[in-house]
Amino acid sequence: MNEFLLLGTRPPTSGETSPARAAHDMAAVTAWHRWLRRWGLLRAFSLPQDRAAELRACLIVWASGLAAAQRLGAGWGRVTGYQVTVLPLLDGSAGKERER
Amino acid sequence: MSEEAEAALAAIFRTEWPRLVGAALRIVGDLQTAEDIVQETLLAAVDRWPLLGVPERPGAWLLTVCRNRARNLVRDTGRAQQRTLSLRPLLAGQAPADGEVREIADDQLRLIAMCCHPLLPTDAQVALTLRMVAGLTTEEIARGFHQGAATIAQRLVRAKRTLKEHRVAFADDDPDVAGRLPSILDVIYLVFNEGYLATTGGQLTRGDLAAEGHRLACLLTELTPDQPETWALRALLSFQLSRWDTRTSADGVLLTLDAQDRSRWNRELIDDGVHALARARNGARGPLLLQAELACCHATAPAFAATDWAAILALYDELQAIQDTPVVALNRAVAVAMASGPAAALPLLDKLTGDPALRHGHRVWAVRADLHHRLGDGVAALADYARALDLVSNDVERRYLADARQRAADQYRSRA
């Protein structure tokens, strides 16, 4: 397993929201995070101080490879509406070391 | 997150929305910017709460984020100095202290008054109130009124522009807020009515709009607890909403009062209506109070047969004396028919079918058809049913009228 950094950015114009929609979105995001934690895939997270910035959240996740991390990123983007960038954090050897 | 938790979260957001818009508006002074800030605040919650957990005081968290964002924006755009005076009380505390509660309430009331500004046409007042106070999206409003999202969006943009162009300020000392109460009540009633009796489409009711109307009425009583008229509106809407689930059968057929299962009426809403009506009686006997009294007569009657039609007729007489409109006259005619029999009401209906405000709607013809039917005049009843069917636009009502006409036709055919 390797570590990957998922960067979630929200474009400045991301459409209208309403109380009902925000609650619905939050329920979906919460369920997704719960799933990520249950499977032990969430290593860490960080939230920016400046809430007005386009960068909204960072996750460090475990994944078997870049393709798997990108699938996680796509799922995260789907529930949050973020544009997600996936970056490998550790090289393969470090990941293999952990697997041992 | 369960559906229950999502509903609880939506309720928090709904309650907080107008408070946040009011708080942001107080700082930035511009409706569009305030709306953007509130949206950003909700999005911040969506970003953070799933990871950090819901804060102990979600309302206070949202208010703090909203105000900080508004303050930052004002500071960033170099307007901080001009706003120092209005910011001073806000800079002291992060969460709403007890002393601020009144200020928050005032902000919400001023927000509603701003949305119902006389410069705006009624449809714009309604749309703006639903967006800024109830927090519905353009799409949701459009769906509620069966109109295109582009139409509603344009209406909202125009309304905001009008307010900006006329420099309608969100001022502490706006002298018009109290004076605008009648139009605020009108807007809320309009929202509720559109939801309660949908004028077009396949559904008789449009739940969200009616619920929003009722919620706005409740909010208004919290903001203006000393205004009997607002309590009267709350009472009226609570009574009407208490019958919500029983107005159509499981297969979508309209059920009139006599056919509704009263054991399924919402007792909590009826109790709320009775409580609100008691508060409303402290004021003058205006149209809203009288309509609430009428609704109370129906809501508290243990059975249809036990309805006090004499009291209802007396209330309609009182209402007609101060609001002599064709609709009141039509409803009074129905009460006459119930209290004194169809023959007594028929001359009133004959007169009303000539009224230009009623003759192009289906209700006057439907009521007269029923009276003719009860008097055994099949030819006249069928003719009026046909006219009513030509004019009705709601599918559920059309079905009800078609069934009534069919029943009448069968009855007269079997007699012949």
Side-chain angles (χ1 to χ4, degrees):
Chain A
M1 293 287 269
N2 291 339
E3 284 181 347
F4 291 87
L5 176 65
L6 270 50
L7 299 171
T9 56
R10 197 191 289 281
T13 50
S14 48
E16 270 185 334
T17 195
S18 69
R21 192 170 293 177
H24 179 77
D25 290 351
M26 194 176 296
V29 180
T30 305
W32 192 83
H33 280 298
R34 188 174 298 153
W35 173 85
L36 203 66
R37 284 188 164 114
R38 188 181 302 152
W39 288 93
L41 299 175
L42 181 66
R43 176 155 158 63
F45 67 85
S46 179
L47 295 158
Q49 280 296 317
D50 180 9
R51 288 163 186 156
E54 279 191 34
L55 177 65
R56 309 304 291 236
C58 306
L59 303 181
I60 297 177
V61 296
W62 295 116
S64 56
L66 186 61
Q70 277 168 340
R71 277 198 296 276
L72 283 180
W76 194 39
R78 220 172 10 255
V79 293
T80 54
Y82 295 155
Q83 281 172 359
V84 179
T85 307
V86 181
L87 300 167
L89 270 187
L90 300 173
D91 62 23
S93 59
K96 278 179 192 137
E97 200 166 287
R98 185 185 172 273
E99 277 174 18
R100 281 200 296 271
Chain B
M1 191 180 271
S2 67
E3 268 180 38
E4 222 171 88
E6 184 183 328
L9 208 54
I12 291 172
F13 287 157
R14 273 198 201 100
T15 307
E16 295 304 326
W17 180 279
R19 292 181 190 169
L20 300 176
V21 178
L25 200 51
R26 173 182 274 270
I27 298 171
V28 298
D30 170 62
L31 215 46
Q32 182 61 58
T33 314
E35 183 189 347
D36 292 344
I37 289 169
V38 174
Q39 291 208 126
E40 175 57 37
T41 303
L42 288 201
L43 289 177
V46 175
D47 290 336
R48 303 177 89 82
W49 294 4
L51 284 163
L52 298 171
V54 177
E56 207 172 308
R57 295 172 64 203
W61 188 96
L62 291 166
L63 196 61
T64 303
V65 171
C66 181
R67 283 174 169 173
N68 286 345
R69 178 93 184 97
R71 286 203 307 251
N72 290 344
L73 202 73
V74 170
R75 201 162 38 223
D76 291 350
T77 50
R79 285 182 281 169
Q81 258 188 329
Q82 300 162 22
R83 303 276 176 183
T84 305
L85 208 62
S86 59
L87 282 177
R88 198 170 293 147
L90 305 174
L91 290 168
Q94 293 295 301
D98 289 348
E100 280 185 281
V101 171
R102 186 66 243 167
E103 182 183 280
I104 293 169
D106 288 348
D107 283 352
Q108 288 182 86
L109 185 59
R110 266 196 299 281
L111 171 67
I112 301 174
M114 199 175 184
C115 294
C116 298
H117 200 280
L119 275 170
L120 306 173
T122 309
D123 54 2
Q125 291 177 351
V126 168
L128 204 57
T129 303
L130 285 173
R131 177 65 193 138
M132 304 309 295
V133 186
L136 266 59
T137 61
T138 305
E139 212 173 89
E140 287 165 344
I141 300 168
R143 214 168 35 237
F145 286 91
H146 283 291
Q147 289 184 338
T151 309
I152 298 294
Q154 208 172 30
R155 202 172 286 169
L156 285 167
V157 168
R158 250 189 243 139
K160 287 176 201 164
R161 199 168 48 212
T162 304
L163 292 177
K164 204 170 183 177
E165 280 170 4
H166 287 82
R167 297 176 190 279
V168 174
F170 188 71
D172 277 346
D173 52 353
D174 187 344
D176 285 346
V177 170
R180 240 174 271 157
L181 199 58
S183 65
I184 294 172
L185 294 170
D186 282 350
V187 165
I188 294 176
Y189 198 14
L190 209 67
V191 169
F192 180 86
N193 265 344
E194 187 58 35
Y196 191 68
L197 192 64
T199 47
T200 55
Q203 291 272 313
L204 178 68
T205 55
R206 236 173 276 155
D208 289 344
L209 274 187
E212 283 304 334
H214 182 253
R215 211 174 59 77
L216 287 171
C218 292
L219 173 66
L220 204 60
T221 55
E222 284 162 27
L223 300 177
T224 59
D226 300 329
Q227 295 285 342
E229 282 256 278
T230 64
W231 286 103
L233 179 66
R234 176 172 175 164
L236 174 60
L237 303 196
S238 291
F239 287 133
Q240 290 187 344
L241 207 57
S242 71
R243 300 196 289 270
W244 182 267
D245 292 338
T246 61
R247 293 172 66 227
T248 50
S249 65
D251 53 351
V253 176
L254 176 69
L255 297 174
T256 46
L257 269 176
D258 54 323
Q260 290 175 14
D261 177 0
R262 286 174 191 239
S263 68
R264 288 179 55 224
W265 286 1
N266 186 321
R267 289 305 321 171
E268 211 173 300
L269 281 170
I270 292 173
D271 291 345
D272 183 73
V274 169
H275 166 75
L277 187 56
R279 298 279 303 255
R281 283 177 183 143
N282 293 329
R285 289 180 73 78
L288 272 178
L289 174 62
L290 292 171
Q291 287 178 73
E293 294 278 11
L294 283 161
C296 182
C297 284
H298 290 298
T300 55
F304 184 74
T307 308
D308 188 350
W309 289 106
I312 288 175
L313 184 54
L315 284 166
Y316 271 120
D317 287 341
E318 204 179 338
L319 182 59
Q320 200 173 22
I322 54 172
Q323 194 180 57
D324 191 10
T325 65
V327 174
V328 172
L330 178 60
N331 290 337
R332 183 183 170 276
V334 175
V336 169
M338 296 308 296
S340 314
L346 199 55
L348 301 173
L349 258 300
D350 288 342
K351 197 175 150 201
L352 288 171
T353 50
D355 189 292
L358 292 177
R359 60 178 295 107
H360 301 299
H362 68 282
R363 287 209 174 84
V364 70
W365 304 106
V367 171
R368 197 171 75 166
D370 181 55
L371 296 187
H372 281 310
H373 179 51
R374 284 160 64 187
L375 289 167
D377 185 348
V379 175
L382 293 174
D384 279 350
Y385 273 129
R387 244 179 249 181
L389 276 162
D390 278 346
L391 295 166
V392 71
S393 58
N394 180 284
D395 295 344
V396 177
E397 287 189 291
R398 178 178 293 113
R399 194 168 152 195
Y400 171 81
L401 287 171
D403 289 349
R405 185 182 60 171
Q406 193 56 51
R407 274 195 305 274
D410 291 346
Q411 196 174 320
Y412 296 121
R413 199 175 300 125
S414 64
R415 270 190 211 164

